[in-house]
Amino acid sequence: MVHGSRLTIDTDAIAANWQVLRERVGASVNCAAAVKSDAYGCGLAPVARALAGAGCSTFFVALPQEGVVLRREVPGAVIYVLNGLLPGAAPIYAEARLRPVLGSLAEAEEWALFCRSRKVVLDAALHIDTGMNRLGLSEADTRRIAADSAMLQAFDLTLVMSHLACGSTAGSPFNAQQLARFKALQELFPGTPCSLANSAGIHLGPDYHFDMVRPGIALYGGEIIEGAPERLQTVVKLEARILQIRQVPADVPVGYGQGQTTRRPTRLAILSTGYGDGYHRRAGGADTRPDDAPPAHGVLAGHKVPLFGRVSMDLMAVDVTDVPSELARRGAFVELYGPDVDMSHIAGTAETIDYELLTSLGHRHQRVYAPLQAPAAATLKEDR
């Protein structure tokens, strides 16, 4: 009763999505799971437990602090840290049994030195840059490490990986270029497992699967390939409580900056959610929006209700003029995204991506971990 919004997260759906991907790549390929950024905003601990229960044994996080939390939840799992070895942090990795994804010569040298100083052979991965130009070893440094037998004896190289820059764009010729570069360089480490594919890479086909795949957004029900209708199960449902119903005459501006003006006598529902809760401001309505780029919408009892005016920090308005008054009432909930409202579509209205919506989920929502109801999209009513 004290929350303005409700966030339902279906960890069974996350586990089911992982199982679908595992079956797609086949038994010979290790299907890992990316759970960085608090499991894409869904909660690291409950998501990790659900995935481990489904059979996932390898996880990827971005930072060692995430890995330390994850280790408590999945004591026997393999945990890779994608952002590599933070300077001076090797003891923390060792204590929590985290495997740094070494992305520079300096990181590889520091990890090797630490292992020698402790007289232990610890696990690590190498990240080869095949064109992302973000993290990763250059071709020259990759060859240098491959030729340095002393370094490779200091730690146990358990994975060689790279990352696709354009994997979500299925027709991009750069995918094939990266694949060719990766194949050429991973051969420098014979017998070492290899990984290239994220969620989108899995859908590019078996040539991209190698020994391990690392799905992320697909596990959480997001868009996998740009513009493709394929989705796995919906995982997240965000609902906002109606605080007040307002009757607004025609030709009256609404909200900050008087961004949108009513064109008719309008009934507005004021919702207890805003950009302070992770709902992006750009998704709101404005008179300056072109007719072919309408604002985002919610769903109230089967009725589509468009946002009206700017999204503010704690509040937003939706147009419920055509919704029966017994449904559009104080205390009712409006679905902002979930089974009936495609998150990727909402992200598009905000000129962003569903990754950002997920990882922006705020901490003021009442979080409920429970199965989601099947979508009622087939019966949605268009309200104008």
Side-chain angles (χ1 to χ4, degrees):
M1 300 299 292
V2 299
H3 294 87
S5 52
R6 180 169 60 208
L7 178 65
T8 305
I9 299 169
D10 189 345
T11 55
D12 289 344
I14 295 174
N17 289 343
W18 178 82
Q19 289 172 330
V20 168
L21 297 173
R22 179 184 62 174
E23 292 172 3
R24 177 167 296 187
V25 299
S28 63
V29 178
N30 181 4
C31 188
V35 293
K36 57 187 180 175
S37 193
D38 197 30
Y40 286 53
C42 293
L44 178 57
V47 169
R49 290 194 296 266
L51 287 167
C56 183
S57 60
T58 304
F59 296 86
F60 285 81
V61 295
L63 296 165
Q65 69 197 63
E66 298 173 324
V68 170
V69 174
L70 181 59
R71 175 58 68 205
R72 294 197 293 265
E73 302 298 330
V74 285
V78 172
I79 302 174
Y80 286 98
V81 180
L82 287 166
N83 283 15
L85 179 63
L86 273 60
I92 296 172
Y93 290 71
E95 182 178 354
R97 291 179 288 120
L98 307 178
R99 301 183 182 185
V101 179
L102 305 171
S104 69
L105 186 58
E107 290 180 24
E109 291 173 340
E110 183 176 344
W111 190 243
L113 180 61
F114 175 78
C115 290
R116 292 191 193 102
S117 69
R118 294 291 182 93
K119 297 182 180 179
V120 292
V121 179
L122 300 175
D123 299 327
L126 285 184
H127 180 179
I128 301 172
D129 178 26
T130 54
M132 175 72 85
N133 286 307
R134 197 175 56 173
L135 296 179
L137 293 155
S138 66
E139 179 178 347
D141 284 344
T142 300
R143 294 185 180 278
R144 181 173 174 179
I145 290 175
D148 190 339
S149 58
M151 177 182 289
L152 293 177
Q153 289 172 2
F155 58 82
D156 188 5
L157 184 60
T158 57
L159 184 69
V160 174
M161 61 166 282
S162 190
H163 193 63
L164 294 166
C166 302
S168 60
T169 307
S172 172
F174 196 60
N175 293 324
Q177 294 176 32
Q178 283 193 272
L179 176 62
R181 293 172 186 171
F182 185 61
K183 282 183 174 179
L185 291 173
Q186 59 91 16
E187 290 177 353
L188 298 172
F189 307 93
T192 303
C194 300
S195 178
L196 178 62
N198 54 5
S199 295
I202 292 172
H203 289 71
L204 295 178
D207 285 348
Y208 291 80
H209 295 170
F210 292 92
D211 303 293
M212 180 191 293
V213 294
R214 317 181 306 269
I217 192 65
L219 300 176
Y220 308 98
E223 185 178 64
I224 303 168
I225 301 293
E226 292 176 359
E230 180 179 5
R231 294 286 198 284
L232 298 184
Q233 290 189 37
T234 299
V235 168
V236 168
K237 180 180 181 180
L238 176 62
E239 301 167 282
R241 191 189 301 271
I242 296 177
L243 297 177
Q244 186 180 115
I245 302 294
R246 298 186 66 87
Q247 302 287 345
V248 183
D251 301 317
V252 172
V254 173
Y256 277 123
Q258 300 185 317
Q260 188 170 3
T261 303
T262 56
R263 298 180 181 179
R264 60 173 180 169
T266 301
R267 194 154 42 100
L268 296 179
I270 310 304
L271 308 184
S272 183
T273 296
Y275 61 75
D277 304 288
Y279 197 95
H280 284 226
R281 186 172 179 269
R282 285 178 176 267
D287 291 334
T288 55
R289 268 190 182 268
D291 291 338
D292 61 351
H297 68 271
V299 167
L300 171 58
H303 296 260
K304 291 179 68 172
V305 290
L307 270 65
F308 200 97
R310 291 184 183 177
V311 175
S312 54
M313 183 182 294
D314 312 299
L315 302 166
M316 66 175 72
V318 293
D319 185 346
V320 296
T321 306
D322 299 315
V323 180
S325 57
E326 65 270 18
L327 300 176
R329 53 181 171 74
R330 176 174 173 257
F333 280 91
V334 175
E335 180 182 321
L336 297 179
Y337 39 80
D340 290 327
V341 185
D342 180 16
M343 180 182 291
S344 297
H345 173 72
I346 302 304
T349 66
E351 300 177 5
T352 185
I353 55 178
D354 43 10
Y355 294 75
E356 190 170 9
L357 289 188
L358 280 169
T359 57
S360 298
L361 289 169
H363 299 288
R364 294 195 294 188
H365 311 298
Q366 177 193 10
R367 288 202 169 212
V368 179
Y369 287 90
L372 293 177
Q373 295 181 351
T379 61
L380 285 181
K381 303 173 181 65
E382 289 283 352
D383 298 309
R384 302 183 185 281

